[in-house]
Amino acid sequence: LERWLRTYLLGKDGEGQEGNAFFKKKIEPASLKLGQYREGAFNLFGFYAASKGNAHWDSITMRLHFMREMTNNVAATKEVEAVILELLLRANGSEGGISGKAMSLSNLDAYLHKVEQLALWVAVTKPASAKRTLKIFEFLDAIEEEEKEGGDASKIEAISQEDKSSLREALVVSEFGATASG
């Protein structure tokens, strides 16, 4: 991360960005989107106006509400916010997407479904921190690659078939939501 930041600010040829430009271009939009997500103010997302009446909007907001509750109440899932933030920025057409082009709502919905699977897998199977972080970064990399190639969310998965099987098994045999005291 530090190497990326240095390269971005200083540039490969020494002609990089100034700190205030970096803040305005990268930090400010991300912090605003994260705050809106954490507050549940989904109607403030830039793509909201264009998506009203769209068949995907109800599904997207349902998924965001579910994941907001999950990330607020299950500490291990907090890292999943990184994926959610990336998707919200891409759906808004913020830099990071292909030349500022907004991600389609159908892809956003499909990716959010995969993020739900990832969040459930984290919450229920309780993987080690390193494995959890690796899954999140692999998924972010897969999204980046797929969006470069045209953006078909159905081509990638957040968790493997093996992880899905362990999730199903854990849901069946565990008392999901039970308190530590029983």
Side-chain angles (χ1 to χ4, degrees):
L1 182 59
E2 182 182 344
R3 187 175 336 122
W4 173 84
L5 184 57
R6 285 181 194 272
T7 302
Y8 187 84
L9 290 176
L10 299 176
K12 291 180 179 144
D13 57 0
E15 298 293 323
Q17 301 282 322
E18 289 194 25
N20 62 348
F22 175 77
F23 177 82
K24 289 280 189 199
K25 197 173 189 180
K26 298 284 189 184
I27 305 299
E28 187 175 51
S31 63
L32 287 172
K33 286 286 172 271
L34 185 58
Q36 291 165 351
Y37 165 75
R38 287 181 174 169
E39 293 296 320
F42 307 140
N43 60 330
L44 296 177
F45 295 150
F47 55 87
Y48 173 73
S51 60
K52 282 168 95 174
N54 185 299
H56 295 286
W57 181 249
D58 290 337
S59 178
I60 289 168
T61 55
M62 175 198 59
R63 294 181 195 290
L64 288 171
H65 280 290
F66 170 76
M67 288 183 292
R68 180 177 171 262
E69 290 300 315
M70 182 77 86
T71 56
N72 283 341
N73 296 306
V74 181
T77 63
K78 199 67 167 166
E79 295 166 310
V80 175
E81 280 187 338
V83 180
I84 297 166
L85 178 59
E86 177 68 18
L87 292 174
L88 292 175
L89 289 169
R90 286 176 178 275
N92 204 52
S94 298
E95 185 143 339
I98 306 304
S99 66
K101 181 181 171 213
M103 175 187 287
S104 72
L105 293 179
S106 60
N107 268 357
L108 176 61
D109 189 35
Y111 282 130
L112 287 173
H113 175 67
K114 294 166 193 289
V115 176
E116 286 176 320
Q117 293 173 344
L118 178 62
L120 280 171
W121 177 77
V122 167
V124 175
T125 64
K126 298 174 181 69
S129 178
K131 186 173 182 180
R132 183 174 64 231
T133 302
L134 180 65
K135 282 278 186 213
I136 288 168
F137 282 113
E138 285 175 345
F139 188 46
L140 284 169
D141 288 343
I143 291 169
E144 174 74 20
E145 288 303 311
E146 188 51 45
E147 288 298 307
K148 282 180 184 174
E149 294 175 14
D152 183 358
S154 66
K155 291 183 178 179
I156 65 169
E157 295 295 330
I159 58 175
S160 66
Q161 288 300 331
E162 182 182 321
D163 294 332
K164 287 178 184 179
S165 294
S166 66
L167 173 58
R168 275 188 221 100
E169 185 178 312
L171 284 170
V172 169
V173 298
S174 71
E175 294 179 23
F176 186 63
T179 62
S181 60

